[in-house]
Amino acid sequence: MPMDDLLSEFLTETTESLDVVDMELVKFEQEPNNAGILDNIFRLVHTIKGTCGFLGLPRLEALAHAAETLMGNYRDGAPVTQDGVSLILQSIDRIKEIMGELEANETEPEGSDEDLITQLDRISAGGCASEDDSAPAASAPVEAAPEPKATPSDVAPPAPKAGEATLDELEAAFAAAPSPEGMDVSPEAAAGVMAEAASSSQQVDDAAPEMAAAPEPEAEPEAEPEVAEAPREAPPEAKAASKDGPVKNQSIRVNVETLEHLMTMVSELVLTRNQLLEMVRRLDDSEFKVPLQRLSTVTAELQDGVMKTRMQPIGNAWQKLPRIVRDLANELDKKIDLQMHGADTELDRQVLELIKDPLTHMVRNSADHGLETTADRVKAGKPEIGVVKLSAYHEGGHIIIEITDDGAGLNTEKVKAKIIDNGLATQAELDQMTEAQIHRFIFKAGFSTAAVVTSVSGRGVGMDVVRTNIELIGGIVDVKSETGTGSTFFIKIPLTLAIVSALIVESSGQRFAIPQLSVVELVRTHNNADHRIEMINDTPVLRLRNKLLPLMALSKLLDLQMAENVLTDAVPEAMVPAEAPAIEAAIDEVEADSQEAPAEEVQAMPVPAEEVAGNSEPAKENADDNLFVVVIQVGAQLFGVVVDSVFDTEEIVVKPMSSMLRDISLFSGNTILGDGSVIMIIDPNGIAQSVAQTTSSTDTAEIEDEKHLTANDDTTAMLVFRAASEEPKAVPLSLVTRLEEIDAAEIERANGRDLVQYRGVLMPLVYISEETQRKTEGQQPVLVFSDQERSMGLVVDEIVDIVEDKLNIEIKADDMPGMIGSAVIKEKATEILDIGYFIEQAFDDWMEQREGVSLARGARLLLVDDSAFFRNMLAPLLSASGYSVTLAESAKQALDLKDRGIQFDIIVSDIEMPEMDGITFAETLRGDPVWKDTPIIALSSHTAPHIIERSRQAGFIDFVGKFDRQGLMESIKDCSTQLGAAA
Amino acid sequence: MSDIVNLEHGVDQSAEEYITVMIADQLFGMPILEVQDVFMPETVTEVPLASQDVAGVLNLRGRIVTAIDMRKRLGLPDLEENKPRMAVGIESNGESYGLIIDKVGEVHRLSDETFEVNPANLDPRWVAISAGVHRLDGSLMVVIDVEKVLAQKETVIAA
């Protein structure tokens, strides 16, 4: 059905055009002498008119024609009046209405537009009845036409000299404006066209008075087609003249469905890849490893690419705002300047759709409530024109949108009164709150600051709805306001909803995913530790940094029972709940320095999946003793969700719940994990609603916290503990595999050494020094370090904290065995342990027993790293594995070694280094004959795909995460094996 | 087990092909065109807070399938534990569902002549999923109306 196709094409195109017209018209009203804008509008409306005629849509055609006529007059220099523009805007609204019907019924609706057409014609005819009272227009006449043609009789004779100049200028600009087709034409030809355009416009000019006298539809087309053609042949270089023109040749239209399908397929691919990775991870030495890594990178890139196709500039959501603000300004009799920055900031179209309405509402609010009336502004000594500024930018995986007005700011006293009136808080409570906390009440349900309910806002839809909508997509909203100078609203939303990073937790034997975005920190509770769950009238709470955190048990929220599912016998190994303390090292007490921080820490933990999965002891026994609290923030609400254990973070593909299950508000979707099982994704908003009643006391949780507590790339998560002496000691958290508490009675002594049965094997225990207390009863805390199948337990007295801090090792402790040096952590001098030393102690046979060591023995290895810490950390490990290690503090130092003619078998280099970075270093080496063939392994804390790709191009043969000790050892082993084979 | 027997292609215009399934001791039939596949439901994840007749969700070749326990839906006692169960995969509006039944039988080609509407005294929970009954030699086959199965959810709990 070709007609239908045509029609739908027309509808899509016209809707887009109309949105542009809307925006351009508002701009035009402000700059009536900008011929470029007028031309753009004129052309768009003209196209609409033409297409309507072609498709046989008389109503639309007539309306578009009348509007076009009026605009034609403006283009010919008639003064632009506010009434006129309003009328055109109304006509465009009507056109939209008709189009809506057209879309629904495929025919034009019955009805007449005589009302609008008559008015349009009247103004076109010069009957500008209201011209005199339209102050803004009068104050901004067409610049190049100093003698505005006030009456039609003035227009009738050939335009006066000044008018002609205007016309020429107008036409020149007209011709210069790019057309959608943007045909290339030689300059000479263009010149001719310009002349033609000028003459044709003369005709228009002549035609205009005729039309003014008798506005018949036929009067115009005579002249119009030529004019419309002129821009089509505009010289290409003229494109730069107008930035407003659309540029279309770089893009194609793709059906949204196609994109969605593509996205689904990529999601499937991601899942399959995760599954494969999971499988290969269990195999020790698999030939699939390398191609799988490649597949992994490619998949990540593909995912990136497809996500990009879903990205749309946020400006799309802003398109209607200028019009809204303009109408608002008229209605409220304010002068408003809407500024928009970062309109090209992109975000997922799904997210875009969802924030459109909240954004519109907030801009309306700023214009209505935020800005004072003109009179008030003048009184306050501010410029008459109020500014509403909208800006968007990326920050991390988020997009930040700010809506700023330079109005009066929130009236704290009024807000307070309102809070008390509505019973949201008591005076006493308010007295203890900061201004910012009070301001946040405007997001509470049933709050509206406008003393007078205007037609604009305050229709019962308050900021609470805005907040709800934003939180629905995992965003947060906040306000900062200063009396007298204005308010700023911040919206922080995720870029996409399709793939999220989630924390996998377990409760009552079932696993669930909690989106990382809302997880602030993880706390491990213990009956006899600092963090223990306390009860107030059977309501669990947790003391967390001098605040009470309301807790909800996930099992209770979800009404979970341990009852055996009929089908659980078919559950594979991997689904069996792991022992609770599996990765508690990462979790024991994570000082959340930012929302992202805990995620990184958990991820950085080397917890091989098989260790989590392989241990099938049920977690029930110490159910109350060892629980984890996932601290979640939703908006300003902070609460803890109690779970039995925490596994890992995973990138999950969010799949919607089937419609049969969609009404369960606690789940936002489900997903397939790497092991193939399906788990539910918890919706933090849903939980927040369940907890809502209990949170008034903690509602004050500062969103600001987030801002000053930014995670720094240079920081290292350190596990601080006490052992042997009072001074705190620390090891990088990433090196610790687990924290365990071992029953002291289970410690056995054999061969002069303490051992404990751990996961089916004997694990040697090592003491920091002889002074370490040996407990004979009770629980003995132990740090477990694992290297391949071997584990070693370091006995400590007490685990103090996990601290994210900049690591700056100050004193090299030569005299103290097992110490790398001291560093100031949390303002306390802390000794940093050399784990390599203790591993040697635990396994004096370490070297003999290590597989592949014979090949490695003697292999000369150069380690280049600017961080003393890493050099000191890795060197003993590498030596212990049989390599002969040379250290270099910088690339330059390494190159010096090269120049001195020293040869190495393998080079391991950091990527991020001052002066010469690893990439440059590798490139230098590849270009140099001496070390050209020495394999070089990259070490970096950034494992972003593009960095990996870059380092590969630079000549690194492998890329290992800085904390992936095991990965590094394997990579080096592979390298030396190849060397051995080659030799 | 999952073999579907005898996919014969007759010529009778008014006839329709059904896959027969057993739930408890009753023979049911589902229009073959509605059935996507037949599989063994493994590793079904329970969905907390879902209505009782939702057995859970499972991963079937990368798709998430919502499994409906037909015994629960029909108000029948649970199948003894450890007995293998089967599921019939169906699709609706791009979503995948699996009806968990006891076992799958064969394919029957049945004409309108043997079809009857639901008997008036049938249990309402059965009526809620049944399109009618086919009189077969020696047994009666209740026709499962897939749309009806997927449409209702709350009524089951009430019943």
Side-chain angles (χ1 to χ4, degrees), chain B residues 61-74:
Chain B
R61 295 185 293 275
R63 301 199 63 152
I64 295 182
V65 176
T66 306
I68 299 165
D69 187 332
M70 289 307 288
R71 275 183 173 253
K72 287 235 167 66
R73 177 59 71 87
L74 294 170

Side-chain angles (χ1 to χ4, degrees), chain A residues 146-423:
Chain A
E147 299 166 46
K149 304 158 200 163
T151 62
S153 56
D154 278 349
V155 185
K161 267 212 159 106
E164 222 171 303
T166 313
L167 197 60
D168 282 350
E169 257 179 56
L170 218 57
E171 287 306 334
F174 187 26
S179 69
E181 288 79 13
M183 269 206 234
D184 289 5
V185 166
S186 68
E188 303 96 281
V193 172
M194 296 272 269
E196 204 184 300
S199 71
S200 74
S201 65
Q202 201 82 47
Q203 287 175 37
V204 177
D205 197 42
D206 293 339
E210 251 182 75
M211 274 164 42
E216 273 178 40
E218 285 75 27
E220 182 131 41
E222 287 261 340
E224 232 25 82
E226 280 181 67
V227 179
E229 241 142 61
R232 197 165 291 176
E233 282 152 7
E237 60 262 44
K239 266 187 189 168
S242 161
K243 59 178 161 58
D244 300 314
V247 180
K248 286 186 180 168
N249 44 5
Q250 286 299 309
S251 59
I252 53 163
R253 244 179 240 276
V254 181
N255 196 320
V256 171
E257 248 170 59
T258 314
L259 287 183
E260 291 297 325
H261 182 66
L262 206 55
M263 189 65 208
T264 318
M265 293 328 283
V266 169
S267 303
E268 297 294 342
L269 186 63
V270 170
L271 285 176
T272 316
R273 176 203 60 184
N274 288 354
Q275 248 164 304
L276 278 175
L277 284 175
E278 184 79 29
M279 282 154 75
V280 169
R281 214 179 290 165
R282 286 179 213 187
L283 306 172
D284 216 12
D285 214 16
S286 167
E287 57 185 315
F288 297 122
K289 251 181 192 165
V290 176
L292 195 57
Q293 197 179 3
R294 181 78 194 134
L295 174 73
S296 190
T297 325
V298 172
T299 310
E301 266 174 43
L302 185 63
Q303 188 186 331
D304 243 37
V306 174
M307 296 288 257
K308 264 192 206 133
T309 63
R310 286 164 55 102
M311 293 301 208
Q312 287 192 323
I314 194 166
N316 290 4
W318 293 355
Q319 259 177 10
K320 295 196 164 58
L321 294 177
R323 168 78 191 276
I324 288 168
V325 170
R326 175 209 177 260
D327 289 354
L328 210 57
N330 283 352
E331 196 177 322
L332 301 168
D333 197 21
K334 290 179 181 176
K335 287 177 189 160
I336 305 172
D337 176 18
L338 178 70
Q339 299 175 0
M340 300 190 284
H341 301 278
D344 50 356
T345 312
E346 293 190 317
L347 75 172
D348 193 286
R349 50 172 291 276
Q350 195 188 353
V351 182
L352 191 80
E353 284 304 315
L354 290 167
I355 59 150
K356 238 182 203 171
D357 289 343
L359 259 185
T360 310
H361 188 81
M362 288 175 89
V363 169
R364 274 168 172 279
N365 245 334
S366 292
D368 185 12
H369 304 318
L371 295 178
E372 315 92 323
T373 57
T374 313
D376 284 349
R377 288 185 70 87
V378 173
K379 225 184 284 169
K382 289 183 182 180
E384 271 190 19
I385 300 172
V387 176
V388 175
K389 201 170 91 186
L390 202 58
S391 48
Y393 53 91
H394 286 291
E395 195 184 89
H398 292 90
I399 186 164
I400 316 271
I401 304 167
E402 289 180 19
I403 300 147
T404 308
D405 65 69
D406 68 344
L410 289 174
N411 186 327
T412 311
E413 288 313 309
K414 267 194 204 162
V415 174
K416 271 189 184 173
K418 207 70 187 247
I419 295 171
I420 295 170
D421 279 357
N422 295 346

Side-chain angles (χ1 to χ4, degrees), chain A residues 268 271 275 510-512 557-560 563-572 575 655-664 666-667 670-673 675-680, chain B residues 41-51 53-64 66 68 72-73 78-82 85 95-97 100 149-154:
Chain A
E268 297 294 342
L271 285 176
Q275 248 164 304
Q510 275 203 51
R511 285 182 296 173
F512 298 94
L557 277 170
L558 298 179
D559 203 14
L560 293 176
E564 284 294 305
N565 181 351
V566 198
L567 292 160
T568 37
D569 21 84
V571 171
M575 271 198 65
K655 301 199 166 209
M657 302 287 276
S658 69
S659 49
M660 195 171 271
L661 302 170
R662 212 161 283 159
D663 51 347
I664 306 173
L666 287 179
F667 301 130
N670 42 22
T671 190
I672 301 176
L673 286 186
D675 65 13
S677 52
V678 182
I679 66 169
M680 304 294 131
Chain B
E42 280 173 7
T43 62
V44 177
T45 306
E46 265 187 82
V47 180
L49 310 176
S51 62
D53 58 317
V54 174
V57 286
L58 57 96
N59 170 9
L60 184 69
R61 295 185 293 275
R63 301 199 63 152
I64 295 182
T66 306
I68 299 165
K72 287 235 167 66
R73 177 59 71 87
D78 284 348
L79 189 65
E80 284 165 58
E81 271 188 48
N82 299 331
R85 308 197 290 175
E95 293 172 347
S96 304
Y97 291 91
I100 297 186
V149 173
L150 299 183
Q152 44 137 191
K153 41 184 175 175
E154 296 312 323

Side-chain angles (χ1 to χ4, degrees), chain A residues 368-369 418 448-460:
Chain A
D368 185 12
H369 304 318
K418 207 70 187 247
S448 178
T449 46
V452 184
V453 172
T454 64
S455 71
V456 177
S457 43
R459 280 172 295 197

Side-chain angles (χ1 to χ4, degrees), chain A residues 818-871:
Chain A
M819 299 296 155
I820 290 171
S822 308
V824 175
I825 294 176
K826 275 253 169 130
E827 290 154 19
K828 269 192 196 156
T830 306
E831 292 174 328
I832 310 295
L833 254 63
D834 174 3
I835 294 306
Y837 171 85
F838 293 101
I839 288 179
E840 263 178 77
Q841 275 210 330
F843 302 100
D844 30 0
D845 56 345
W846 190 269
M847 283 160 61
E848 279 73 21
Q849 299 229 343
R850 281 185 68 97
E851 182 198 356
V853 163
S854 57
L855 284 166
R857 181 162 296 157
R860 292 155 304 172
L861 198 144
L862 174 65
L863 177 65
V864 190
D865 197 320
D866 60 311
S867 146
F869 174 73
F870 277 102
R871 287 199 308 274

